[in-house]
Amino acid sequence: MVVNMVRDAGDTPEADIHQGITAPCDPVGVKETNNEATFDYCSPEYHKMISQSLLNKGHNARLKRAIQKAGQGEPVVMAYIGGSITHGAGAIPIHLRSYAYRSYERFKAMFAPSDSRSIQLVKAGVGGTPSELGMIRYDRDVLGDGQIQPDIVVIEFAVNDADDETRGNCYESLILKALAADNKPAVILLFSVFENDWNLQDRLAPVGWHYNLPMVSMKDALVEQFHKTKQEGNVITKEQYFHDIYHPTNLGHQIMADALGHLFDAVNHAELDQDDHDLRRPPVIGDDFVHVKLLDRKNGNQLAKINPGCFAQTDTDLQMAEMDDHDYATPLFPHNWMYTRGDRAEAQKFKLQMRCRCLLLIFKDSGSDEFGTALIKVDGVLTKQANPHEVNWTRCHAMLLIQDKHVREHTIEIEMAEGHEDKRFTILGFGYVS
């Protein structure tokens, strides 16, 4: 298997680098919302910085097929899944200036200029969530529960997966879940970076090398030059790139889109690779969750035996996200179970019985004092404590309960902790592998 690396601007012709840049080459630059005066997208230094984002071209047959389909006017679906950066946080307006929307627009301009309506955007970024939740959301938010077949899938969890309890198993499982689809989509790994120069690329990139996937690294593009003066080769400052310590500005989102555009162009000009990704290889970290599915109030009684007890209400104050190219936000996990105090102690418990080998709880974090801590028993043993105030804002929180190699009958009991009986707690759903 040949691994194609691009580390130097000299590896790609200057004209080709230009092709992947989203912004028009206007020396006047763009006035940014952070009051930075101008920015030059045409400088050789900028093109070199963008070229350094290309960590790996990867095996190109799947991406070249999507490019060819676009050029022939056939429908192409571009999907993006990740955290708040994929959601578009820091971009104004969020639905039109995110890196996902801009790279989708660039792809259309590059490969389907005559009929861009044939290219569809699926954007499934949710703030504050790792691949531990992303893999559960994938079927619903990316595949539309079987109605959508993406041709390109961009996965961006490099700054969110510190919370992944499996330390990469969920991430690799999500990648394999996407790669294994019958229509063989191109899977691209995108590594964002925080203002403190941190991401999880060292943990996650080996998965990309293992399957020879296209990989784009904002850390490789940006961090070294962040610490240089203009005379030493600085292209963009942290103040220009970051809206806050986590999220890019409009300019930062555009640079991310340019990096993806550079990958598209590099693959378009490369010779076609004949072999496909070898998915028979043993995983680097793990593949326990490739077949994970969502269980919630909508389908739960078809999949398991459930006694909701006092978790009988439905919570409507949920985390929201602008999905796809929508300018409105969609509530996440609306088919949930919310606890409100009951009279009898036994009726307080939520009880789920089902056969599975892996199980994750999804619950609601909240900044409201009305919410309290719940205790989780697995097969009669107190296993976890779910505190909705770990981050003190409304978000979806995934927690691993069971990870086994064999399917067995399990019983899950959830009840409020002592002293929290007058509080609320929302079970958003479960991720299960049967």
Side-chain angles (χ1 to χ4, degrees), residues 233-305:
N234 172 263
V235 178
I236 184 170
T237 66
K238 289 187 176 183
E239 290 73 22
Q240 288 174 302
Y241 186 83
F242 289 101
H243 172 78
D244 52 31
I245 62 175
Y246 305 121
H247 307 112
T249 58
N250 282 352
L251 176 56
H253 276 279
Q254 181 165 300
I255 290 170
M256 292 182 69
D258 284 351
L260 286 169
H262 176 54
L263 166 66
F264 298 153
D265 192 63
V267 167
N268 186 43
H269 284 84
E271 292 294 323
L272 175 66
D273 294 330
Q274 296 303 315
D275 298 327
D276 195 7
H277 304 286
D278 186 359
L279 304 185
R280 299 167 299 177
R281 308 184 72 189
V284 178
I285 302 171
D287 59 359
D288 291 337
F289 305 95
V290 172
H291 301 292
V292 70
K293 297 181 188 222
L294 172 65
L295 180 154
D296 61 14
R297 194 168 189 155
K298 185 178 180 180
N299 65 0
N301 289 324
Q302 303 166 29
L303 302 168
K305 184 178 178 182

Side-chain angles (χ1 to χ4, degrees), residues 34-49:
N34 62 359
N35 293 322
E36 292 293 335
T38 60
F39 192 80
D40 183 4
Y41 298 98
C42 298
S43 69
E45 292 80 12
Y46 182 73
H47 294 304
K48 181 178 180 181
M49 181 185 77

Side-chain angles (χ1 to χ4, degrees), residues 194-234:
F194 279 165
E195 189 185 47
N196 64 357
D197 303 338
W198 175 88
N199 71 10
L200 287 167
Q201 187 171 317
D202 288 346
R203 179 204 291 177
L204 304 180
V207 179
W209 294 118
H210 186 65
Y211 301 107
N212 196 17
L213 299 176
M215 293 188 284
V216 172
S217 169
M218 303 318 299
K219 183 176 183 178
D220 285 16
L222 296 165
V223 167
E224 183 179 353
Q225 66 86 46
F226 275 151
H227 299 279
K228 293 180 178 180
T229 64
K230 288 293 182 185
Q231 292 73 26
E232 293 170 333
N234 172 263

Side-chain angles (χ1 to χ4, degrees), residues 334-360:
H335 308 291
N336 56 67
W337 299 270
M338 184 172 69
Y339 169 87
T340 53
R341 185 182 177 97
D343 296 328
R344 295 183 298 112
E346 185 61 30
Q348 302 270 1
K349 296 179 182 179
F350 175 97
K351 189 173 182 180
L352 177 147
Q353 295 172 278
M354 74 178 301
R355 289 181 59 79
C356 61
R357 63 178 180 85
C358 298
L359 188 71
L360 301 99

Side-chain angles (χ1 to χ4, degrees), residues 150-165:
D151 298 276
I152 299 171
V153 180
V154 178
I155 297 176
E156 181 267 324
F157 282 108
V159 293
N160 286 70
D161 265 13
D163 288 340
D164 172 16
E165 299 164 276

